[in-house]
Amino acid sequence: MENKKHVIKYELLKEDKRSMARLGRITTPHGTFETPVFMAVGTQATVKTLTKEELEAIGSNIILGNTYHLWCQPGSEIVRDAGGLHKFMNWDRSILTDSGGFQVFSLAKLRDIKEEGVTFKHHKNGAKLFLSPEISIKIQNDLGSDIMMCFDECPPYPSTYKYLQESVDRTLRWAKRCQDANRNPDTQGLFGIVQGGEYEDLRRHSAEELVKMDFDGYSIGGLSVGEPKEIQNRVLAFTTPLLPKDKPRYLMGVGSPGAILDAVERGIDMFDCVLPTRIARHGTAMTSYGRVLIKNKEYERDFTPLDPKCDCYCCKNYTKAYLRHLFKADEMLVYRLLSIHNINFLLRLTEGIRNAIKEDRFLEFKEQVYKEYGIEDDKDF
Amino acid sequence: MENKKHVIKYELLKEDKRSMARLGRITTPHGTFETPVFMAVGTQATVKTLTKEELEAIGSNIILGNTYHLWCQPGSEIVRDAGGLHKFMNWDRSILTDSGGFQVFSLAKLRDIKEEGVTFKHHKNGAKLFLSPEISIKIQNDLGSDIMMCFDECPPYPSTYKYLQESVDRTLRWAKRCQDANRNPDTQGLFGIVQGGEYEDLRRHSAEELVKMDFDGYSIGGLSVGEPKEIQNRVLAFTTPLLPKDKPRYLMGVGSPGAILDAVERGIDMFDCVLPTRIARHGTAMTSYGRVLIKNKEYERDFTPLDPKCDCYCCKNYTKAYLRHLFKADEMLVYRLLSIHNINFLLRLTEGIRNAIKEDRFLEFKEQVYKEYGIEDDKDF
């Protein structure tokens, strides 16, 4: 193992005594923040409907950008020539970019996976595209994110052991190629992605080989792709102990309150999900007393805030009756207000988690949120 | 003529020597602002995509709400029970509401005009509706706007002299009924609407009868409905002198730079138009050097602000390349940014007009904007 300089610094501040939950602090070239942390998703160089100031006001310290989408539109060279993604979108805190791998496997059509990379068709216009570890890193270097992700294969659930075995090994070879391709090793960190489906020995093999390559952090991939919740929790429980304690651990695509709490309990530090902005566009809010569907008739004359316990811009200034009216009238302002509220909800949830770990009451906090939010085991968010 | 208390105070500060342009100051129960003034349109209890803070930041002192739309959704009683439109939408500066008359004649189907009022069908769901002077004022009283408009008939262009003659007289009878129906005469002002098409004697008759009724202000209606620009200017030129100097004059539905300048020259004080927010949604910006269609390929790598002379949030923080990307990606943020920019443009234009009147150079200012913006006589905005 090389003793290399790491762009991303992780400090382990405290471990929970009764679970694998941990409090940490990450420093990137664009700032420092405590973990567990939730990252809002800014797919197309914008966290949908919101400005930088609105994200800063609710304490958003790191957001996610999508390599695949930015590659398609406007193209990574344009973002590079603008001075990088931070400058292009007017965001000076931290940015993590995914590798495009997930979109290749979830959105794109007719993919053909070879050792060199993946040939596939654009999810909308059908144009033929090719992504490889080198191209993904080239794009992410153009974007200039603080944390890049390795280009990996994200196999569907369920996949056969034999298929996953080959896929894990190819993804490991791709991880090495990603590391070698990074032309900004002094300014952009790189995370490895542990794959292996639900199989403990494959996850172990993947984790051990990635750890040997000494990444800035590790993601646990191939989860939240339709598997039952207990499988996700079981995989997390046996995978995080395989990862070094002095590096951040990231569970990609997870953002429901219950799944965040479950994953923190099993040692995860970082989360991202489109959930808060996507459900906002469907008129759904996450509140301290559970989900609210703002279109419901019961809110027509409800002149109280969405969540009386919430201090976000939406809850301080508007009533449920007004939000319902805007939603019924299809007014964009409601998508802004609910997006602010929902992202704030998850940022306050992770803040609550951090405080609970500090005060040795994480499991009690988890139980309390489960109860107050009304999380059922099989039906989260 | 009664000597009644007026809710809306207008002070004439200065008259231009070489035109009918005038500088004034209006005070409503929710604030004071100078005229000529542009009012952004908040049709459905929201200026599309924007918050109160964003409107305040660009100096928006009075906005417009639409009686017809708020009557349909959420219903005026809900707004009333919320504490009125100001409280419902979180806006504590001035609000003007129209009467619903324009929508009845522009949007609604199968209308049947009788002395009592107008029966028509809802513009979307086809439901049978009835609006009368009393109902319009009842709704506007529920909304609690600072300035209400009389319920009038807005005839199409062209209409026959005979038709307009009958219509003007009916609208005058309706104006009296509106005045009598106002149950908040101490807190809500009411404007009369001069009709009469392009006919000077009908306009004179309409204006004289309305002035006898002593309204808080006067609107010139039935313009901007498809007639040539020279007819609009001619009607304005012979109508504003018929109105009292100590009352505000409002030209409804006009918001293009050229038409605002032309109307100010002919003595108009107040304007409203959906133009700045509507064209924003089509990716069009009004700038100091004319119209910009942000989707154009030429802006793909243009890393300069939309308008280098503009100090709005959009121009201070984002580039044309970013705006173009957002528009191509159909991201809501671009509609926000262009709406802020376009409304700011018209607020700065009217501010420039006011300064020019103060400094006795209104006609020079008008000529300069016409030239720099590239306004052609027949093709404004």
Side-chain angles (χ1 to χ4, degrees):
Chain A
M1 196 193 299
E2 299 171 69
N3 189 0
K4 74 178 74 164
K5 185 188 166 196
H6 282 289
V7 174
I8 306 303
K9 184 178 163 195
Y10 175 80
E11 298 162 84
L12 177 59
L13 300 177
K14 180 163 185 176
E15 291 179 290
D16 187 38
K17 292 187 185 74
R18 290 174 295 151
S19 76
M20 293 154 72
R22 50 191 225 152
L23 181 75
R25 188 189 293 129
I26 290 177
T27 300
T28 82
H30 285 86
T32 297
F33 49 87
E34 288 194 342
T35 59
V37 67
F38 176 77
M39 304 182 283
V41 177
T43 301
Q44 300 187 114
T46 162
V47 175
K48 286 195 187 300
T49 79
L50 302 184
T51 60
K52 158 191 162 158
E53 288 77 9
E54 285 160 339
L55 290 164
E56 287 176 352
I58 55 176
S60 184
N61 287 308
I62 176 167
I63 61 173
L64 187 138
N66 284 113
T67 284
Y68 171 79
H69 291 284
L70 293 169
W71 179 47
C72 296
Q73 167 62 41
S76 67
E77 278 101 354
I78 286 176
V79 178
R80 179 197 64 202
D81 294 347
L85 185 55
H86 289 88
K87 196 166 175 203
F88 184 60
M89 70 183 288
N90 187 33
W91 174 255
D92 46 26
R93 297 188 181 182
S94 302
I95 296 176
L96 180 149
T97 45
D98 65 3
S99 68
F102 182 75
Q103 282 73 29
V104 167
F105 295 97
S106 65
L107 287 180
K109 293 162 196 159
L110 293 170
R111 56 185 169 270
D112 178 26
I113 307 169
K114 292 220 163 63
E115 184 63 27
E116 178 57 21
V118 189
T119 305
F120 59 99
K121 289 194 174 173
H122 185 278
H123 67 291
K124 282 183 183 162
N125 65 24
K128 195 177 162 183
L129 298 169
F130 177 73
L131 265 186
S132 67
E134 289 76 14
I135 294 171
S136 170
I137 295 298
K138 194 263 177 197
I139 297 166
Q140 294 184 76
N141 280 159
D142 283 349
L143 300 176
S145 52
D146 298 278
I147 301 175
M148 303 187 292
M149 300 303 299
C150 283
F151 185 70
D152 64 331
E153 182 184 350
C154 182
Y157 175 86
S159 293
T160 64
Y161 183 89
K162 191 175 153 41
Y163 183 84
L164 285 169
Q165 201 171 20
E166 287 175 23
S167 168
V168 162
D169 280 327
R170 184 170 46 229
T171 284
L172 286 170
R173 292 189 294 274
W174 285 1
K176 185 73 180 71
R177 283 166 56 189
C178 285
Q179 218 167 28
D180 293 342
N182 181 10
R183 51 166 218 270
N184 299 326
D186 294 335
T187 53
Q188 295 187 261
L190 182 63
F191 278 22
I193 303 177
V194 180
Q195 290 287 355
E198 60 189 297
Y199 304 101
E200 191 166 354
D201 61 333
L202 293 181
R203 288 278 176 185
R204 176 178 299 274
H205 171 59
S206 175
E208 285 175 352
E209 293 303 313
L210 288 171
V211 171
K212 283 183 199 165
M213 293 184 225
D214 192 18
F215 285 94
D216 289 280
Y218 299 89
S219 172
I220 301 183
L223 293 179
S224 220
V225 290
E227 75 284 0
K229 192 173 179 176
E230 57 268 27
I231 289 189
Q232 179 169 313
N233 283 338
R234 193 167 59 80
V235 170
L236 290 177
F238 66 60
T239 305
T240 54
L242 305 169
L243 299 171
K245 284 204 168 189
D246 62 346
K247 295 289 162 62
R249 303 156 183 173
Y250 165 29
L251 179 56
M252 296 189 289
V254 163
S256 68
I260 288 177
L261 288 160
D262 285 0
V264 166
E265 188 181 353
R266 291 162 182 84
I268 294 294
D269 307 306
M270 302 170 70
F271 300 90
D272 81 281
C273 197
V274 295
L275 185 76
T277 43
R278 180 168 292 166
I279 66 175
R281 296 196 297 284
H282 297 121
T284 302
M286 296 184 272
T287 75
S288 60
Y289 55 97
R291 264 181 294 176
V292 167
L293 275 65
I294 202 65
K295 73 175 171 193
N296 285 355
K297 181 83 174 168
E298 66 185 291
Y299 304 121
E300 191 174 32
R301 287 172 178 275
D302 186 334
F303 302 121
T304 65
L306 191 51
D307 187 344
K309 290 189 183 172
C310 178
D311 65 349
C312 83
Y313 174 75
C314 172
C315 290
K316 279 191 297 189
N317 292 286
Y318 302 94
T319 63
K320 289 200 271 303
Y322 183 64
L323 296 171
R324 179 181 191 270
H325 159 65
L326 292 181
F327 187 79
K328 297 276 287 182
D330 195 21
E331 284 286 353
M332 283 192 206
L333 182 58
V334 73
Y335 310 118
R336 289 180 61 180
L337 296 175
L338 292 181
S339 292
I340 289 174
H341 172 83
N342 283 341
I343 296 173
N344 181 67
F345 179 82
L346 292 178
L347 293 177
R348 295 294 77 75
L349 175 69
T350 43
E351 186 180 52
I353 288 171
R354 295 193 300 269
N355 290 335
I357 298 172
K358 283 176 198 169
E359 296 163 9
D360 294 313
R361 52 174 180 81
F362 169 71
L363 290 177
E364 289 81 354
F365 178 80
K366 182 194 160 190
E367 195 181 350
Q368 186 194 341
V369 175
Y370 254 74
K371 191 175 155 193
E372 289 178 359
Y373 193 85
I375 298 168
E376 295 159 41
D377 274 345
D378 295 335
K379 197 183 141 197
D380 191 14
F381 74 77
Chain B
M1 198 192 299
E2 299 170 68
N3 190 0
K4 73 179 77 164
K5 185 187 164 194
H6 282 289
V7 176
I8 306 302
K9 185 179 165 194
Y10 175 81
E11 299 162 83
L12 176 60
L13 301 178
K14 181 164 185 175
E15 290 179 290
D16 187 40
K17 293 187 184 74
R18 291 173 296 150
S19 76
M20 292 154 73
R22 53 191 223 152
L23 181 75
R25 189 189 293 129
I26 290 177
T27 300
T28 83
H30 285 87
T32 297
F33 49 87
E34 287 194 343
T35 59
V37 68
F38 177 76
M39 303 182 282
V41 177
T43 301
Q44 302 187 113
T46 162
V47 175
K48 284 193 189 299
T49 80
L50 302 184
T51 61
K52 158 192 163 158
E53 288 77 8
E54 285 160 340
L55 290 164
E56 287 176 351
I58 56 177
S60 184
N61 287 309
I62 175 169
I63 61 173
L64 187 138
N66 284 114
T67 284
Y68 171 77
H69 291 284
L70 292 169
W71 179 48
C72 294
Q73 167 62 41
S76 67
E77 277 102 356
I78 286 177
V79 178
R80 179 197 64 202
D81 294 348
L85 186 54
H86 289 87
K87 198 166 174 203
F88 184 59
M89 70 181 291
N90 187 31
W91 175 257
D92 45 26
R93 298 188 180 182
S94 302
I95 297 177
L96 180 149
T97 44
D98 65 2
S99 68
F102 182 75
Q103 283 73 29
V104 167
F105 295 98
S106 64
L107 288 180
K109 293 161 196 160
L110 293 169
R111 57 184 169 272
D112 179 27
I113 307 168
K114 294 222 160 64
E115 184 64 26
E116 177 57 19
V118 188
T119 305
F120 58 100
K121 289 193 175 176
H122 185 277
H123 66 291
K124 282 183 183 163
N125 65 25
K128 194 176 165 184
L129 298 168
F130 177 74
L131 264 185
S132 67
E134 290 75 15
I135 295 172
S136 171
I137 295 297
K138 194 264 177 195
I139 297 166
Q140 295 184 76
N141 279 159
D142 282 349
L143 299 175
S145 52
D146 298 280
I147 301 174
M148 303 186 291
M149 300 302 298
C150 283
F151 185 72
D152 64 331
E153 181 184 352
C154 181
Y157 175 88
S159 292
T160 64
Y161 183 88
K162 188 173 155 44
Y163 184 84
L164 285 169
Q165 201 170 21
E166 287 175 22
S167 168
V168 161
D169 280 328
R170 184 170 44 230
T171 284
L172 286 169
R173 292 189 295 273
W174 285 0
K176 186 73 181 68
R177 283 166 56 190
C178 285
Q179 217 166 28
D180 293 341
N182 182 10
R183 52 165 216 270
N184 298 327
D186 294 336
T187 54
Q188 295 187 260
L190 181 64
F191 278 22
I193 304 177
V194 180
Q195 291 287 355
E198 59 188 299
Y199 303 101
E200 190 166 354
D201 62 333
L202 293 181
R203 289 279 176 184
R204 175 178 299 276
H205 172 60
S206 175
E208 286 175 351
E209 293 303 312
L210 288 171
V211 170
K212 282 184 200 165
M213 293 183 227
D214 192 18
F215 285 94
D216 290 281
Y218 299 88
S219 173
I220 301 182
L223 292 178
S224 219
V225 290
E227 75 283 2
K229 192 173 178 175
E230 58 268 27
I231 289 189
Q232 178 168 314
N233 284 338
R234 193 168 59 81
V235 170
L236 289 177
F238 66 60
T239 305
T240 54
L242 305 170
L243 299 171
K245 284 205 169 187
D246 61 347
K247 295 288 162 63
R249 304 158 183 171
Y250 165 31
L251 179 56
M252 297 189 288
V254 163
S256 67
I260 287 177
L261 287 161
D262 284 0
V264 166
E265 187 180 352
R266 290 161 182 86
I268 295 293
D269 307 306
M270 302 170 71
F271 300 90
D272 81 282
C273 197
V274 295
L275 184 77
T277 45
R278 180 167 291 166
I279 66 174
R281 295 196 298 283
H282 298 123
T284 302
M286 295 184 272
T287 75
S288 60
Y289 54 97
R291 264 180 294 174
V292 167
L293 275 64
I294 202 64
K295 73 177 172 192
N296 285 355
K297 180 84 175 168
E298 64 184 293
Y299 305 121
E300 191 175 33
R301 287 172 177 276
D302 186 334
F303 302 121
T304 65
L306 190 53
D307 188 344
K309 290 189 184 171
C310 178
D311 65 348
C312 83
Y313 175 75
C314 173
C315 290
K316 278 191 295 188
N317 292 286
Y318 302 95
T319 63
K320 290 200 269 302
Y322 183 64
L323 296 171
R324 178 180 191 269
H325 159 66
L326 292 181
F327 187 78
K328 297 278 285 183
D330 195 22
E331 284 286 354
M332 282 192 206
L333 183 58
V334 74
Y335 310 118
R336 288 180 61 181
L337 296 175
L338 292 181
S339 292
I340 288 173
H341 172 84
N342 284 340
I343 295 172
N344 182 67
F345 179 83
L346 292 178
L347 293 177
R348 295 294 76 76
L349 174 70
T350 42
E351 186 179 52
I353 288 171
R354 294 193 301 268
N355 289 335
I357 298 172
K358 283 175 198 169
E359 296 162 9
D360 293 313
R361 52 176 180 79
F362 169 72
L363 290 176
E364 290 81 354
F365 178 80
K366 182 193 159 190
E367 195 180 352
Q368 184 193 342
V369 174
Y370 254 75
K371 192 175 156 194
E372 289 178 359
Y373 192 86
I375 299 169
E376 296 160 41
D377 273 346
D378 294 335
K379 197 184 140 196
D380 189 13
F381 78 94

